[in-house]
Amino acid sequence: MNRMVPVRLAPATHLLTVFWAALLCFPTPPARAEVSVSSTLIKAPGASLYVETHGAGTGAPFVVVNGGPGFSHDFMLCTDAWDVLAQKRPVVFYDQRGTGRSPELTADQSCNLADQIADLEAVRAHLGAPKIDLLGSSWGGYLVMAYAASHPEHIRHLVILDSAAPKLSDTKYLFKDVFPDAVERQDSLAFADEMGDARAGQASLQEYLGMIFYSPEKRAAFLAKTAPGMVLNKKVNRAISTDLERFDLNPELHKFNFPTLVITG
């Protein structure tokens, strides 16, 4: 499995990250009817969450959980594939607590795996759907596994996309073997990034993104359009990354008595 790390943070955080944008940014399909987009803030236990819904069809909601932790959902919109799905059903994104257009964390506000599960359940309850189709990418893949272990009764179909392993320490990262030069350049930026140098953090992210695209053209387009606006909330990243070290989801997988698709590579 490839390492899911765009930036260098504390030792715990370098295990988790953002996504496989390359998989999502495929060629634009033929023109189709424009879908509606609506947004709202909802209340979750201990937090407010920004929720964005594409389409308004009658099919089961398709909820997309982005990677990070610490990024908004915006980078997931690099493709209009979601508009294809939204022709007949709502496709739902949300900004995880403390990120994007969800309110920033307060000094006394917790942000751990249990909170994230409760937040995702609040999104489902807001949609009024007894069952949802659920996709999680990277860190979002781990979160949807944890959600499915806690609320299997609410899952219709599950898609786990380039996730960390059910036990975080079992995750295998191959970037150092495949892209040693890029990893070395990332390593050279780590100290400055940790010291708060925003340019070093952005340069590290660019190095990471350069390793996950098959198409140089798609890579260039994504780096030019989307990457400059990506902001990592390091407080959220550190809090969740540290908390995840406590868990092993392997004993919970027997609860997944619903169609489950695992994608990696």
Side-chain angles (χ1 to χ4, degrees):
M1 173 180 283
N2 288 307
R3 182 175 53 177
M4 300 175 288
V5 183
V7 292
R8 300 307 178 87
L9 302 175
T13 61
H14 80 269
L15 295 173
L16 295 171
T17 58
V18 51
F19 57 95
W20 264 106
L23 183 63
L24 295 175
C25 297
F26 43 72
T28 302
R32 66 188 65 83
E34 215 172 290
V35 301
S36 61
V37 178
S38 61
S39 62
T40 188
L41 278 178
I42 69 166
K43 287 291 186 181
S48 295
L49 303 172
Y50 173 84
V51 178
E52 185 173 295
T53 303
H54 294 232
T58 58
F62 184 67
V63 179
V64 180
V65 182
N66 64 268
F71 286 101
S72 76
H73 78 279
D74 289 345
F75 67 83
M76 300 292 286
L77 303 179
C78 67
T79 173
D80 61 1
W82 311 118
D83 292 347
V84 178
L85 297 173
Q87 296 294 317
K88 296 183 179 180
R89 50 149 53 168
V91 176
V92 182
F93 304 86
Y94 71 103
D95 286 341
Q96 296 158 22
R97 65 169 59 196
T99 70
R101 279 155 281 189
S102 293
E104 290 189 20
L105 296 179
T106 60
D108 59 349
Q109 189 175 6
S110 64
C111 186
N112 54 36
L113 182 60
D115 294 326
Q116 297 288 331
I117 294 169
D119 290 350
L120 182 48
E121 171 60 6
V123 173
R124 183 208 60 81
H126 164 72
L127 297 172
K131 289 182 180 288
I132 58 174
D133 292 339
L134 186 59
L135 178 148
S137 172
S138 193
W139 134 251
Y142 192 96
L143 175 52
V144 300
M145 284 192 287
Y147 176 84
S150 301
H151 298 285
E153 71 279 7
H154 293 315
I155 303 293
R156 202 175 75 112
H157 299 92
L158 183 66
V159 182
I160 302 169
L161 174 61
D162 279 307
S163 172
K167 184 177 181 180
L168 203 60
S169 60
D170 290 340
T171 307
K172 305 299 181 186
Y173 302 113
L174 304 177
F175 279 178
K176 190 171 290 187
D177 300 316
V178 181
F179 301 105
D181 293 343
V183 172
E184 184 176 351
R185 288 192 295 270
Q186 271 197 308
D187 288 341
S188 72
L189 296 163
F191 177 74
D193 185 22
E194 272 297 292
M195 296 300 292
D197 186 331
R199 288 181 298 178
Q202 187 65 20
S204 180
L205 174 61
Q206 298 272 329
E207 290 289 352
Y208 174 76
L209 294 172
M211 292 185 279
I212 67 171
F213 280 83
Y214 175 77
S215 163
E217 293 78 19
K218 293 293 182 183
R219 178 197 305 134
F222 186 86
L223 293 179
K225 181 178 179 181
T226 304
M230 292 177 65
V231 177
L232 177 71
N233 186 312
K234 293 186 178 183
K235 181 179 180 180
V236 170
N237 186 286
R238 287 190 171 101
I240 295 173
S241 300
T242 301
D243 190 52
L244 292 190
E245 295 176 358
R246 302 188 294 129
F247 298 100
D248 181 1
L249 297 179
N250 284 294
E252 304 299 314
L253 300 182
H254 71 92
K255 299 176 182 177
F256 291 15
N257 295 316
F258 35 74
T260 301
L261 175 63
V262 179
I263 305 172
T264 189

